[in-house]
Amino acid sequence: MATEEAAVTNFIRDIINEDLAAGKHSGVVTRFPPEPNGYLHIGHAKSICLNFGIAQDYAGRCHLRFDDTNPTAEDIEYVDSITEDVKWLGFNWGESCFYAADYFERIYGYAEDLIKKDRAYVCTLSPEEFKEYRGVPNRPGKSSPWRDRPVEESLDLFRRMRAGEFADGEYVVRAKIDMASPNLHMRDPAIYRIKHAHHHRTGDAWCVYPMYDFAHCIEDSIEGITHSICTLEFEVHRPLYDWILDALEVECHPQQIEFARLNLTYTVMSKRKLLELVRDGHVDGWDDPRMPTVSGLRRRGFTAASIREFCRRVGVTKVESLTDIALLEHCIRDELNKTAARAMGVLNPLKLVITNYPEGQEETLEGINNPGDESAGTRPVPFSRELYIERGDFREEAPKKFFRLKPGQEVRLRYGYLVTCTGCKKDEATGEVTEVTCTYDPETRGGNAPDGRRVKGTIHWVSAAHAKEVEVRLFDRLFTCERPDDVPEGGDFKDNLNPDSLSVTRAFVEPSLATAEPGSRFQLERTGYFVVDTKDSTPECPVFSRIVPLRDSWAKKR
Ligand code: ATP
Ligand code: MG
């Protein structure tokens, strides 16, 4: 993590410092508790960096805990991807990987305890009645007629719920709290429900499952968590979190602390919506390079360090905000600017013929691998009479300020010679330019004129005979607007999908890239940072994906 600056402090660290100074805890234990119902996204990365970062800095522990209390949406595929992603981000849970499902027996026992204390009861209201009785925030709700069901009867029913005697929805267990509370979460919330469903970990052992709010605080308590960090939407659940642990009189009562979730422009972050994109085939899987998932960003070519740096720069606050996706792109660009080797590739090729360069002759020029890092050395770059240049670097008629190729103008071929444009050939039918001609000055090898004459434009190129053809994938934002979740009545976030988020072309690249390994990153000069795709690239048909273009809209905005 040498390129990263020290963690910035934040209000959560302030709380922890105070707790430690007051002797409240002997050490710090946090947790990252994903539900394995989807792949992790960049928002989760923020939570991971926060929780594991705190554990690291306070020499404590951060548990990886699968919050798998909802059997229908969860899957082992998600467990595996989450494990891989957290590891890849550079964090280590040691021995502390846990599953909420492993606590089902204890959580069930705690629910029985609440019933025995007359602080929970089995309710027979239908889901519709349940909702109706609960009421609205500014008016008290109505008590269930089953609220005063005798303890023995509730206990018996709960045990029969567990034994599988009833159908889904027939009964629920509810905490007995306060039907007049202005906080709806405190109006006798359900804590256990019947669900005849197969669980990825416990199989068919259970047909009753705890509700999230009941399970989560117990999981934290069982694991001895000191600071239970979650996002702001759980602030209104905190009284319930505390009520349950107080009612159960457990030894360990963690402190819940909420922070603002990460929102990014041009991005949807909800797992449900990301799943929809995958299921409906709008993207090529969870790891599509356009996805904001950790696996998508990894495939796109982002490094773990760049994501950690992004999270550090975003910071941790209690104020909802929308982060510019340009900051994320800035972080990888900034890193690759220092580390990525340079090479040349032409995305939209146009033939350039140097008419005074002897036919059949070729030579080897020297390309500098990284102008900012001398130790990166040089590479051989073959040069010959026929080259490819970018179509956009030639204009037959061009304004004065166009410093690239136009008839009569001299430009520098990167690492090569100075050449002067002499004309072009066109397709008679279409008028399209098919070839540009020029002459070179043999005295200018390396790109400088001995007489010191000034040449403003420098263009990249590849030798036609030596070039390697590859597939290039260029990405644009997945959505066309900053807040794709904001849709008018009756609309759908998918209406905001960008139909041009992926464009595929064929490009010619210099031969040094022919053997680039999948996952390796480099800069194609003037064009952007690229990665060899880890999924689709083969030695026969290499696939280069653009991570980001060179232009830094974030730096420009500063
Ligand atoms: P989503 O709302 O995207 O479906 P989730 O909150 O349901 O996500 P969980 O698996 O419950 O997903 O999340 C695990 C942890 O990650 C939680 O502690 C949650 O607060 C945190 N988290 C989820 N999304 C974000 C986000 N956008 N920013 C910061 N933390 C997040
Ligand atoms: Mg959640």
Side-chain angles (χ1 to χ4, degrees), residues 368-399:
I368 295 164
N369 286 334
N370 188 341
D373 175 11
E374 221 173 283
S375 72
T378 61
R379 67 185 183 285
V381 185
F383 184 83
S384 63
R385 188 171 190 269
E386 297 197 356
L387 313 175
Y388 289 118
I389 61 167
E390 293 289 349
R391 191 162 279 277
D393 282 339
F394 170 76
R395 282 205 222 163
E396 195 178 10
E397 293 187 36

Side-chain angles (χ1 to χ4, degrees), residues 457-532:
T458 300
I459 64 173
H460 61 273
W461 51 275
V462 289
S463 166
H466 303 88
K468 172 116 181 147
E469 198 179 348
V470 298
E471 177 178 320
V472 162
R473 297 179 184 170
L474 303 175
F475 305 107
D476 197 350
R477 315 225 135 115
L478 190 50
F479 293 94
T480 52
C481 57
E482 281 198 350
R483 298 168 190 266
D485 291 310
D486 288 359
V487 285
E489 272 288 301
D492 186 294
F493 77 99
K494 296 196 291 310
D495 300 340
N496 293 322
L497 275 167
N498 176 5
D500 302 316
S501 59
L502 167 65
S503 56
V504 180
T505 67
R506 303 206 60 86
F508 291 112
V509 300
E510 63 176 88
S512 68
L513 290 178
T515 52
E517 289 289 327
S520 58
R521 306 174 184 86
F522 46 87
Q523 183 196 99
L524 288 184
E525 295 201 30
R526 299 174 66 222
T527 307
Y529 293 102
F530 287 78
V531 65
V532 183

